[in-house]
Amino acid sequence: MQKRRRGIAVLLLMIMAVTILSGCAPDQNRYKIDYNHPSFFQQILVIPMVKLLDIFKDALGNYGLSILVLTFLVRLIVFPLTWKQQQSTQRMQEIQPEMMKIRKKYEKNPQKMQEETMKLFQKHNINPMAGCLPLLIQIPVLFAFYQAIMGNEHIKESSFLYLQLGSPDPYFILPLIAAFTTYLQFIVTGAQSNPQMKVMVWIMPVMIFFLAYQFPSALSLYWVYGNIFTIAQSLILQKLNKKEVKGATR
């Protein structure tokens, strides 16, 4: 029951985030930044993002590339969480045979099954919620990024490839890429092996698609860049972990 409640709690948080963001979409003027009297949230996240986007744009000549660099910086900041997530996911995969034995042995006693599963997690020093942390930490970053885009007239009026960064993708190409890379990210990171994350593997890509098709392309671009970084990072970490395991068995 505890495991199920945690999974439901994470799902509700994501639904709440999507609902809030969806409610923000129609009123773009609402997020104009008052630089003279900014809120605390704007001071610590939104305004620094606006300044960084402008700095990188001046250096690279395009806001599309500026978003790429800022995405890399954000991913670098949350790397410690991602590293822990990857380690937790790998351990979850390693103990799958033991978990299956527990489920089979106590299939008629859910409470005992939960107790034995938690003991197994404690034995192997596994936090089943670790896989959710990098995802949840991105929610305030998404809010801030949205405000940074809508509060910066230069970004709203800029283009990148065929995209108008301040408007949704009219051809739905970027939303589809955002949804697919979100799904691929879950698969590559092994989230499907975590019982608490299984539901997110299917729900998150759908949620991201519905967000991406109605929000500015700059926000969707940030999400796609982030997914690609996470996928590449996960593949690299998996190779490093395999080398460590081989080295330890020699």
Side-chain angles (χ1 to χ4, degrees):
M1 284 297 292
Q2 187 179 2
K3 179 176 68 175
R4 185 175 297 176
R5 286 172 184 171
R6 286 177 180 174
I8 292 172
V10 173
L11 179 58
L12 288 176
L13 278 172
M14 295 307 301
I15 292 174
M16 182 177 68
V18 171
T19 303
I20 293 172
L21 281 170
S22 298
C24 297
D27 187 9
Q28 296 184 355
N29 293 323
R30 180 181 174 186
Y31 290 98
K32 286 185 177 179
I33 301 169
D34 184 356
Y35 288 93
N36 295 320
H37 303 92
S39 66
F40 178 71
F41 182 69
Q42 289 177 336
Q43 282 182 322
I44 63 171
L45 276 179
V46 180
I47 293 176
M49 279 190 173
V50 171
K51 291 180 178 179
L52 285 172
L53 285 168
D54 287 341
I55 290 171
F56 295 141
K57 186 266 179 184
D58 291 339
L60 300 171
N62 191 286
Y63 276 111
L65 296 177
S66 176
I67 293 169
L68 175 64
V69 176
L70 184 58
T71 305
F72 174 75
L73 289 179
V74 171
R75 288 292 189 250
L76 200 61
I77 292 170
V78 300
F79 176 77
L81 288 176
T82 308
W83 174 255
K84 289 183 179 180
Q85 174 200 15
Q86 189 66 32
Q87 288 180 320
S88 178
T89 301
Q90 184 179 357
R91 290 193 187 116
M92 287 288 290
Q93 292 173 335
E94 291 171 356
I95 66 170
Q96 279 300 306
E98 294 180 69
M99 288 182 66
M100 293 302 295
K101 289 179 182 178
I102 291 173
R103 290 174 189 171
K104 187 175 181 180
K105 185 176 181 180
Y106 300 106
E107 59 182 346
K108 294 182 180 179
N109 189 343
Q111 185 175 352
K112 184 66 175 176
M113 182 192 300
Q114 177 66 21
E115 290 176 1
E116 293 299 319
T117 301
M118 293 308 296
K119 287 179 182 178
L120 183 64
F121 288 159
Q122 291 172 1
K123 177 183 175 182
H124 293 274
N125 194 26
I126 295 174
N127 178 7
M129 293 301 291
C132 308
L133 289 176
L135 194 62
L136 293 178
I137 207 73
Q138 289 186 63
I139 294 176
V141 175
L142 276 175
F143 285 137
F145 204 82
Y146 177 77
Q147 290 191 32
I149 293 166
M150 303 318 298
N152 189 321
E153 294 294 330
H154 300 297
I155 297 178
K156 288 199 295 183
E157 296 170 359
S158 296
S159 59
F160 179 64
L161 301 176
Y162 72 94
L163 300 166
Q164 192 69 29
L165 293 178
S167 304
D169 181 354
Y171 305 111
F172 302 117
I173 296 173
L174 195 58
L176 287 170
I177 294 174
F180 176 72
T181 52
T182 298
Y183 171 77
L184 195 60
Q185 173 186 325
F186 278 114
I187 298 301
V188 170
T189 56
Q192 75 278 6
S193 63
N194 187 335
Q196 295 184 1
M197 293 292 290
K198 273 186 177 180
V199 65
M200 303 299 290
V201 174
W202 300 103
I203 290 179
M204 273 301 295
V206 176
M207 295 170 83
I208 291 302
F209 174 81
F210 281 105
L211 275 178
Y213 93 85
Q214 63 178 323
F215 276 89
S217 295
L219 191 65
S220 303
L221 200 59
Y222 161 78
W223 193 265
V224 170
Y225 283 154
N227 287 343
I228 292 172
F229 274 123
T230 301
I231 291 167
Q233 179 180 280
S234 297
L235 292 173
I236 292 170
L237 291 177
Q238 285 173 15
K239 286 185 178 180
L240 291 175
N241 287 331
K242 286 180 180 178
K243 287 183 179 179
E244 288 179 5
V245 172
K246 287 182 179 179
T249 54
R250 286 178 182 177

